[in-house]
Amino acid sequence: MKDSISAQSSKLALHGQNIYNGCCTLQIDFSKLNTLNVKFNNDKSRDYTNPTLPSGPDSGLNLGGAPGMLSSAYASVGGIGPPLTLGAPLHSGGPVLGNYYVHQGAAPLMGSIPNSMGGPLANAAAAAGLAGLPGQAAGLGSVVLVSNLNEEVVTCDALFVLFGVYGDVQRVKILFNKKDCALVQMADPMQAALVAQQHLDRVKLWGKTVRVNMSKHQTVQMPKEGQPDAGLTKDYSGSPLHRFKKPGSKNFQNIFPPSATLHLSNIPPKVTEEQLRELFGQSGTVKNFKFFPKDHKMALIQMEDVEQSINALIALHNYQLAEASHLRVSFTKSTI
């Protein structure tokens, strides 16, 4: 891919998707390779940035169909659509997916994402020809509706920290007449549709299963001057806690769904395992803990379940452990 942002967008959009109905499920993970060395443009390898490469010796690989066609032995099986065509022009036979289209009868990989969406994730997805998550319609904004919240516990700051794991939250509004619902405005539509909704819809938070859906609102409006709000609307556009404001940040490569194990970083040298266990024990039961062998500034801590882990992340991300040291907490795919 062009950069790490494009790679992360591709992985988030395509991992676990079926090429055909009920089969050919894509399993995508990051490679240890930094670059690919391609010598020939043919059915076996292709450099899309250098169309002048020779075709090389006959690879003996026949994918079937015209060049650029991903064919399959499943293509002729009843009930399974024709193959997906890459780099095809607009075609009346099927829905357009960025630089891809699917022939009529094939199960679409995803819905459509408008090319007008801004932000680095959106640009990366558009460059890769990616479409959005199932059910996402074109033209939606950057705002998601969060419902079934525990209105006795929910705060703007808590939602800012949780949704901030997956994008840069700009504004949060807890609805005045329905305090178990809130609007969260992300930095761009891709963060809202591709990241926040994919990972946070149906998670258990404060004893309730939260729903996250795209909102019809394009922005979250701040209350007019003098209008009572009771602190239910907050603007975070200038927050120093945004994880993705730096282009090409490594944080784009470390976006994971909520997990019982948390990754801790920026730990001061004098902070002990016992202190961290006691601190996280205020949010639930700590099952395991491990410092990184070669870096005491980082550690893994495992809570009893995902809900306790989410509560701990909300409570302790950016927690001040020393005069000039604030704890960073993230979800992780690692286990102890």
Side-chain angles (χ1 to χ4, degrees):
M1 305 299 293
K2 181 181 179 181
D3 51 38
S4 60
I5 299 174
S6 302
Q8 176 67 27
S9 299
S10 302
K11 181 176 183 293
L12 285 171
L14 295 174
H15 179 69
Q17 296 287 342
N18 292 333
I19 296 178
Y20 298 98
N21 284 327
C23 64
C24 297
T25 303
L26 297 172
Q27 299 294 323
I28 303 173
D29 210 337
F30 292 109
S31 169
K32 294 180 180 179
L33 298 175
N34 290 322
T35 59
L36 287 178
N37 184 23
V38 175
K39 296 180 179 180
F40 305 113
N41 282 341
N42 53 36
D43 287 337
K44 192 173 182 180
S45 65
R46 187 169 300 275
D47 186 339
Y48 291 93
T49 66
N50 186 5
T52 63
L53 285 179
S55 59
D58 185 6
S59 65
L61 180 64
N62 184 8
L63 296 178
M69 179 79 76
L70 294 181
S71 189
S72 165
Y74 294 102
S76 60
V77 178
I80 299 179
L84 179 71
T85 301
L86 305 181
L90 300 184
H91 190 274
S92 60
V96 177
L97 304 177
N99 290 332
Y100 298 69
Y101 75 82
V102 181
H103 287 279
Q104 197 68 34
L109 284 172
M110 283 152 283
S112 61
I113 281 186
N115 292 330
S116 60
M117 286 187 176
L121 281 176
N123 295 336
L130 296 178
L133 295 172
Q136 299 311 312
L140 291 177
S142 305
V143 181
V144 294
L145 172 65
V146 189
S147 58
N148 202 37
L149 291 161
N150 187 331
E151 60 182 274
E152 301 297 327
V153 184
V154 64
T155 64
C156 290
D157 289 345
L159 294 177
F160 166 73
V161 172
L162 179 57
F163 280 76
V165 174
Y166 301 108
D168 291 338
V169 176
Q170 303 300 298
R171 291 176 178 176
V172 178
K173 177 187 286 289
I174 297 172
L175 303 189
F176 185 81
N177 294 320
K178 192 170 176 56
K179 292 184 173 62
D180 64 344
C181 294
L183 296 173
V184 179
Q185 181 178 336
M186 307 300 290
D188 58 51
M190 180 63 71
Q191 290 183 5
L194 181 62
V195 187
Q197 187 177 16
Q198 181 179 8
H199 288 309
L200 294 179
D201 186 34
R202 300 181 187 273
V203 300
K204 196 169 183 182
L205 176 64
W206 302 313
K208 304 185 74 173
T209 300
V210 174
R211 296 306 311 271
V212 183
N213 293 289
M214 297 302 299
S215 170
K216 295 179 181 179
H217 295 277
Q218 297 297 309
T219 60
V220 171
Q221 297 293 332
M222 295 299 295
K224 296 179 180 179
E225 187 175 353
Q227 182 179 348
D229 181 66
L232 296 179
T233 307
K234 285 193 175 184
D235 185 291
Y236 298 95
S237 57
S239 173
L241 299 182
H242 286 162
R243 298 180 187 239
F244 306 99
K245 59 184 177 181
K246 183 180 178 181
S249 168
K250 289 185 178 179
N251 290 333
F252 284 106
Q253 302 175 38
N254 295 296
I255 298 176
F256 304 106
S259 54
T261 302
L262 295 167
H263 179 275
L264 314 182
S265 59
N266 207 32
I267 303 171
K270 293 184 180 180
V271 172
T272 65
E273 174 180 340
E274 289 71 25
Q275 289 174 305
L276 290 171
R277 279 180 174 268
E278 181 180 355
L279 185 64
F280 278 80
Q282 298 172 15
S283 299
T285 302
V286 176
K287 295 186 66 177
N288 286 299
F289 180 93
K290 182 177 72 173
F291 276 115
F292 279 49
K294 296 180 180 180
D295 191 352
H296 187 87
K297 293 181 179 179
M298 295 192 292
L300 296 176
I301 189 165
Q302 181 183 355
M303 305 299 291
E304 187 170 39
D305 55 37
V306 174
E307 183 179 8
Q308 290 186 10
S309 173
I310 293 174
N311 292 337
L313 182 142
I314 291 173
L316 297 173
H317 178 65
N318 200 47
Y319 184 87
Q320 187 170 358
L321 290 174
E323 184 176 349
S325 180
H326 290 76
L327 184 65
R328 291 183 58 83
V329 185
S330 304
F331 298 120
T332 179
K333 65 178 180 179
S334 302
T335 55
I336 303 176

